[in-house]
Amino acid sequence: MPSETLQAPTTLLAEITHRCPLHCPYCSNPLDLQRAEAELSADEWKRVFSEARALGVLQLGLSGGEPLLRKDLETLVDHARRTGLYTTLVTSGLGLTRERALRLRDAGIDHVQISFQDSDRANAERIAGITSVDKKVAAAALVREMGVAFSVNVVLHRGNLDHIGEIIELAASLGADRLELANTQYYGWATLNRDALMPTRAQLDAAEPVVDAAVARYRGKMQIIYVLPDYYSQYPKACYGGWGSVYIVLGPDGRVLPCHAATQITSLSFDTVRDHSLEWIWRDSPGFRAFRGDDWMREPCRSCPRKTVDFGGCRCQAFLLTGDARNTDPVCSLSPNRHMIDEALAVAAGIDAVPAYTYRTMPPATAAAARVKAAIGD
Amino acid sequence: MMPLTARPRLWRLARLEFDPVRNRRVLLYPEGAMLLNDTGGEVLALCDGTRTVADIGAELGTKYNADVTTDVATYLAKLAERELVHDAQ
Ligand SMILES: C[S@@+](CC[C@H](N)C(=O)[O-])C[C@H]1O[C@@H](n2cnc3c(N)ncnc32)[C@H](O)[C@@H]1O
Ligand code: SF4
Ligand code: SF4
């Protein structure tokens, strides 16, 4: 696609740290988590936010890891808000004290999204791998007190999908303006735990009418967004507006990606804002150009009328499962590799004893690294 | 159509901004942004929860010297459907 027709990006997701007190087995962060020493400084982040705004970015997500672990978060929010960005804090809630909540509000945060693991306390603690429920509930109360927009996010999987009704009630009782119910996407740590996380068809069929009824019941009070699991769909999820067309992700070390899962495509390399301007990376870097437009597409996508709708699905998933990012996302029923997905679903249907979780942990303990390597088989 | 007596205001989570890059107003809200054309932007700028739909229609009607009330009410109904605008009453 020639640069002249390139549209402006709309959204920047800044993963400002990989450090996190929780150990969610569904975590979409990469397995090779970065340590504090690698992280961009506050000044570097501020420069990136200004460059992003100048490129046309309107939405900023401050995520991680746990963004509240950065002591300079407030100054980042303050800067982002001055540039005009609509700023969302994506957090586990751990580390939000009243003092910090007030500082964040004064800095101009627009929206806080807190994730919960389950409505059932014991199960929530088990999934997070740490005692966290009381802290999350307290954080939610603080966000309500701040008066800013408040969302609850819950990642759904085999271990909590049966509680969907109670999860919706929990979000309502916390006073959420918005509830995101996101079925697990299999990136990062989630790929290691796929068999333990994959829901059954029966679970999804039971959840659907509960969600539909709640969407209608809470209309005007709490907006409910239900993200379907792509493994159970006929067609893949669209890759945002297409690769490198609206979305930018920055990792803690300043590496710029077209998607938070893109580091998994090991056949591509991505540039960092330590070496290049964000504008150059967006317009011209090989990583961003790799799958722009549709020249790269193969059959069945190339001649498929849906290619302008889903862009052939997820490049990261295509690479992870088939070893070639140019292939059709195997979730697609037209893909010659769809059997890979069906096999995973058959495994899920046949499991009686759900396997133990491999919890997300920071690396260098070389033992943990070896365990991860063995699990992913490289 | 939104009733002419409704007093529309933006969703509590939404914010109206001018975007110098695209040279137009944008409505920003969690996980989304809506690029507005000139008239859409003017309508939303008047959605302060005190003016009625009829007031907004009249104000813009005077400016454009045309009867735009029906268009305004239809436009706001579309945004209300997406929960981006609410009736303040
Ligand atoms: C990676 S987390 C980082 C922010 C913070 N630590 C948290 O968990 O809220 C960003 C968001 O993605 C969600 N998430 C994590 N792993 C996911 C997955 N595999 N699929 C879908 N959503 C996921 C989290 O619930 C959270 O809302
Ligand atoms: S999803 Fe869980 S483990 Fe991953 S960054 Fe968020 S809180 Fe931490
Ligand atoms: S063949 Fe490709 S473009 Fe067509 S529906 Fe499947 S993934 Fe989408």
Side-chain angles (χ1 to χ4, degrees):
Chain A
M1 192 196 275
S3 289
E4 298 78 64
T5 65
L6 191 56
Q7 56 179 335
T10 58
T11 306
L12 174 68
L13 180 73
E15 296 183 336
I16 59 177
T17 180
H18 273 159
R19 290 172 286 138
C20 184
L22 282 75
H23 305 284
C24 311
Y26 58 72
C27 184
S28 56
N29 284 166
L31 299 176
D32 53 335
L33 294 166
Q34 291 161 28
R35 306 185 69 74
E37 306 81 74
E39 292 171 12
L40 294 187
S41 68
D43 284 342
E44 287 174 308
W45 279 116
K46 289 181 195 171
R47 190 198 79 192
V48 171
F49 298 163
S50 296
E51 285 186 47
R53 185 65 201 91
L55 267 181
V57 169
L58 300 165
Q59 289 272 350
L60 171 67
L62 293 167
S63 185
E66 178 43 62
L68 285 164
L69 286 179
R70 292 268 314 215
K71 301 269 182 302
D72 49 13
L73 178 64
E74 290 86 337
T75 71
L76 302 187
V77 171
D78 180 71
H79 183 84
R81 192 56 173 74
R82 280 173 208 275
T83 67
L85 290 163
Y86 187 100
T87 305
T88 296
L89 175 64
V90 187
T91 176
S92 68
L94 269 70
L96 189 68
T97 57
R98 164 162 283 108
E99 222 183 3
R100 290 203 85 182
L102 294 176
R103 284 209 302 266
L104 285 166
R105 186 197 59 195
D106 294 345
I109 193 89
D110 288 290
H111 172 213
V112 179
Q113 174 178 306
I114 302 183
S115 57
F116 282 76
Q117 277 65 24
D118 197 352
S119 51
D120 178 88
R121 171 182 294 265
N123 203 41
E125 315 285 33
R126 183 181 70 92
I127 295 167
I130 181 187
T131 308
S132 62
V133 174
D134 287 336
K135 293 172 189 145
K136 285 168 181 275
V137 172
L142 284 171
V143 174
R144 289 282 293 155
E145 210 180 303
M146 284 159 78
V148 300
F150 171 39
S151 295
V152 167
N153 165 286
V154 181
V155 177
L156 300 174
H157 48 82
R158 188 177 186 119
N160 64 6
L161 201 54
D162 296 336
H163 307 151
I164 187 103
E166 292 88 342
I167 289 172
I168 293 167
E169 295 315 313
L170 168 68
S173 74
L174 293 169
D177 297 298
R178 203 171 152 274
L179 168 61
E180 244 181 50
L181 297 166
N183 274 284
T184 306
Q185 289 181 283
Y186 295 99
Y187 304 124
W189 295 83
T191 57
L192 291 185
N193 289 295
R194 196 175 66 174
D195 288 344
L197 295 170
M198 186 68 69
T200 63
R201 167 78 70 184
Q203 284 184 300
L204 288 163
D205 287 347
E208 199 180 283
V210 179
V211 175
D212 286 348
V215 168
R217 191 154 27 101
Y218 284 108
R219 209 186 136 69
K221 291 179 218 112
M222 176 172 78
Q223 190 180 64
I224 302 178
I225 295 114
Y226 183 59
V227 183
L228 287 163
D230 60 350
Y231 271 50
Y232 281 97
S233 308
Q234 189 182 1
Y235 296 118
K237 277 209 173 61
C239 167
Y240 304 98
W243 181 274
S245 79
V246 291
Y247 197 60
I248 304 178
V249 179
L250 256 89
D253 61 350
R255 211 153 28 133
V256 190
L257 310 167
C259 160
H260 63 277
T263 52
Q264 305 195 322
I265 307 181
T266 48
S267 55
L268 291 181
S269 67
F270 296 101
D271 291 283
T272 127
V273 291
R274 285 189 164 138
D275 300 333
H276 298 279
S277 70
L278 191 63
E279 182 177 10
W280 179 84
I281 296 174
W282 168 256
R283 282 182 177 281
D284 297 320
S285 70
F288 269 78
R289 295 175 70 115
F291 305 116
R292 255 190 198 134
D294 57 15
D295 284 350
W296 56 272
M297 273 185 193
R298 296 175 167 170
E299 294 299 349
C301 294
R302 172 161 288 283
S303 53
C304 177
R306 278 187 59 90
K307 71 179 177 186
T308 55
V309 179
D310 63 30
F311 313 98
C314 173
R315 295 307 88 224
C316 310
Q317 187 148 275
F319 181 84
L320 274 176
L321 296 177
T322 74
D324 189 333
R326 287 167 299 176
N327 283 335
T328 295
D329 185 334
V331 155
C332 183
S333 54
L334 302 171
S335 161
N337 295 308
R338 170 70 208 191
H339 63 91
M340 293 177 162
I341 303 295
D342 292 330
E343 282 153 22
L345 299 185
V347 169
I351 287 178
D352 295 322
V354 176
Y357 292 145
T358 300
Y359 285 101
R360 175 202 196 273
T361 43
M362 286 306 260
T366 35
R371 191 163 43 82
V372 165
K373 277 220 158 113
I376 57 174
D378 78 14
Chain B
M1 275 205 4
M2 193 178 249
L4 298 185
T5 52
R7 298 181 193 276
R9 66 169 163 69
L10 296 182
W11 188 25
R12 199 172 75 78
L13 284 62
R15 199 172 93 209
L16 196 60
E17 276 268 337
F18 181 77
D19 176 16
V21 177
R22 295 171 183 83
N23 195 28
R24 48 164 135 174
R25 283 201 173 103
V26 286
L27 185 64
L28 304 175
Y29 47 92
E31 311 298 320
M34 196 165 133
L35 308 182
L36 303 168
N37 59 23
D38 288 349
T39 31
E42 284 181 74
V43 171
L44 290 188
L46 294 175
C47 289
D48 55 8
T50 63
R51 290 176 169 87
T52 63
V53 174
D55 293 339
I56 297 172
E59 220 168 305
L60 293 178
T62 312
K63 179 164 172 191
Y64 290 108
N65 199 16
D67 185 0
V68 297
T69 305
T70 309
D71 295 338
V72 168
T74 310
Y75 179 67
L76 287 173
K78 265 199 303 194
L79 293 174
E81 176 63 31
R82 296 178 57 184
E83 299 189 36
L84 293 171
V85 169
H86 291 264
D87 186 351
Q89 286 162 0

